[in-house]
Amino acid sequence: MSCSDRLLEFDLALTKILPDRVAGAVASVEEGASFQFAEEGALRAKAGAARQQEFIAGRKCARAALAELGQLHGSILANGKGAPVWPDGFVGSITHCKGFCGALAARTDDYLGVGIDLERTNRLSASAQKHVVHAQELDYVDGDQRRATLLFSLKETFYKLQHPKFGEEPGFQDVCFKIDDSAGAARIDSVAKSFPISFQDAALAMQFTFVFSSEHVFCVGFY
């Protein structure tokens, strides 16, 4: 499949799972791409070429998502932890997967947070699955790498979704998901009791959607 065909497939897949009033964009990582804004280039001046090109593609997606919401924006910098700093009145999320990137954006009047993750479905080895899959998720996975990768992606999405507001650092075993394959939807069933009640309550209220696209899976979270 050509890169352009894959991008079209990704765009259609992402559109299927976006909630109302959330904008999304996908792009390929282009060799030799240059930074559109010098301030962004300064953030990755010491990174290798591959990391720089991923960053460029991710910011391109972020600006495209913001533009869809009527927000024409310049450089998107990063905070002290490396997370994107979105313009006032907006929330967003960026994902990188080998060769491709994606981003979401939404207005804070509509959502407190959004998250996105794109993964290849052969993402997890059997040994890695042991670190990702919660004991109560084992029956769902049943050794299936595709389902284990879905859970990995959902938990990555959850991390990105909650971190700007709560700043928590949950591990893979700290959350347990319930999956509805037929609806392409998921929810958090439990959160480790070591986290604050406010964080637990918020996590249980968050919503997640997902879609498989060839050998990839897209996950989106929002609340």
Side-chain angles (χ1 to χ4, degrees):
M1 181 181 292
S2 69
C3 181
S4 59
D5 287 342
R6 179 58 53 81
L7 279 175
L8 177 59
E9 181 182 284
F10 281 171
D11 187 60
L12 292 172
L14 182 58
T15 299
K16 288 180 181 178
I17 60 172
L18 285 181
D20 292 340
R21 302 180 303 283
V22 174
V26 293
S28 59
V29 177
E30 300 176 6
E31 292 186 13
S34 57
F35 289 96
Q36 186 175 351
F37 298 95
E39 308 98 298
E40 291 181 355
L43 292 177
R44 291 294 183 270
K46 296 181 180 179
R51 294 289 291 172
Q52 289 185 356
Q53 289 154 13
E54 283 187 348
F55 182 94
I56 291 166
R59 262 33 184 199
K60 176 182 176 181
C61 289
R63 278 186 281 274
L66 287 168
E68 190 175 327
L69 297 172
Q71 173 71 17
L72 300 179
H73 198 65
S75 59
I76 299 174
L77 302 182
N79 62 21
K81 294 187 176 181
V85 177
W86 297 87
D88 289 345
F90 292 85
V91 290
S93 180
I94 299 173
T95 184
H96 303 94
C97 184
K98 187 175 182 179
F100 298 95
C101 291
L104 301 181
R107 295 182 182 277
T108 53
D109 288 345
D110 297 319
Y111 295 94
L112 295 175
V114 294
I116 185 174
D117 192 62
L118 173 65
E119 301 287 345
R120 293 184 65 91
T121 50
N122 61 355
R123 179 70 172 80
L124 294 186
S125 65
S127 60
Q129 290 181 32
K130 296 178 182 178
H131 299 287
V132 170
V133 181
H134 189 281
Q136 295 178 27
E137 298 166 336
L138 288 171
D139 286 344
Y140 171 77
V141 173
D142 194 25
D144 186 284
Q145 189 180 51
R146 196 165 181 258
R147 288 186 167 189
T149 305
L150 169 60
L151 283 167
F152 176 90
S153 189
L154 285 168
K155 293 178 184 187
E156 286 286 300
T157 301
F158 168 61
Y159 182 90
K160 297 176 187 179
L161 176 57
Q162 64 80 28
H163 201 268
K165 181 174 177 61
F166 294 98
E168 296 290 352
E169 302 283 341
F172 291 114
Q173 297 287 341
D174 288 326
V175 292
C176 174
F177 273 86
K178 285 287 187 182
I179 312 294
D180 184 342
D181 286 313
S182 61
R187 62 176 178 83
I188 293 175
D189 193 48
S190 65
V191 182
K193 301 302 182 185
S194 56
F195 291 98
I197 291 294
S198 59
F199 175 71
Q200 295 181 47
D201 289 344
L204 296 175
M206 293 174 184
Q207 300 179 62
F208 299 85
T209 55
F210 65 88
V211 63
F212 288 97
S213 180
S214 297
E215 69 272 23
H216 292 77
V217 60
F218 264 114
C219 291
V220 167
F222 50 96
Y223 76 111

